[in-house]
Amino acid sequence: MQDRTANAAQPARILVLEDDVLNAMLMEEALQAAGHEVVGPALTIPRAMKLLDDGAVDAAVIDLQIEDDVSFDVGRRLDELQIPWAITTGHAPNAIAPRFSHVRVLPKPFTVASLLKFVDATLQSRPG
């Protein structure tokens, strides 16, 4: 696989919250190939919250719809921790609460290239 780190942001620890196992594996593989360390992937909201409590995370990519719930609690926690994050979703943009208008959204389905560009843009919004 081609080394994408030459044009990518600095390697980072990325939390992935995605309840579809195949999507989670695709995201994990793509992010690792780009030089990032994947935290998770978490398949549930409680697991994502535990991973946030357990260690340093530089950014997060979270699916909006997790099982029968939405991931806004994880988003609120990421905001409290001042960790940049982004949403992947197959839902219409109006499904995202106005409180999260500062969050980037990557519509599903997406390509690996668009995911990596999306993560790089999210990482660039890190404080400091």
Side-chain angles (χ1 to χ4, degrees), residues 64 72 89 91-98 105:
L64 177 64
F72 293 142
T89 187
H91 292 285
N94 65 356
I96 299 167
V105 178

Side-chain angles (χ1 to χ4, degrees), residues 2 19 66-67 79 99 102-103:
Q2 180 183 10
D19 62 346
I66 301 296
E67 298 173 343
D79 282 348
R99 173 185 181 177
H102 64 285
V103 178

Side-chain angles (χ1 to χ4, degrees), residues 10-121:
Q10 290 281 30
R13 289 177 46 89
I14 312 286
L15 171 67
V16 172
L17 170 59
E18 170 62 66
D19 62 346
D20 181 286
V21 175
L22 292 178
N23 282 343
M25 288 172 43
L26 168 79
M27 293 170 68
E28 179 179 29
E29 183 178 302
L31 292 169
Q32 287 175 341
H36 299 297
E37 179 182 343
V38 173
V39 178
L43 302 176
T44 66
I45 291 170
R47 177 72 178 139
M49 297 294 262
K50 174 142 181 39
L51 289 170
L52 281 174
D53 290 341
D54 286 351
V57 172
D58 297 311
V61 178
I62 66 175
D63 186 16
L64 177 64
Q65 180 81 38
I66 301 296
E67 298 173 343
D68 293 331
D69 204 353
V70 289
S71 55
F72 293 142
D73 287 343
V74 176
R76 279 189 283 278
R77 182 70 179 130
L78 288 160
D79 282 348
E80 289 169 6
L81 296 170
Q82 298 182 343
I83 296 170
W85 59 287
I87 294 172
T88 62
T89 187
H91 292 285
N94 65 356
I96 299 167
R99 173 185 181 177
F100 300 117
S101 62
H102 64 285
V103 178
R104 286 178 175 75
V105 178
L106 180 63
K108 289 182 176 181
F110 51 82
T111 65
V112 168
S114 64
L115 171 67
L116 295 177
K117 184 176 179 182
F118 180 69
V119 167
D120 287 347

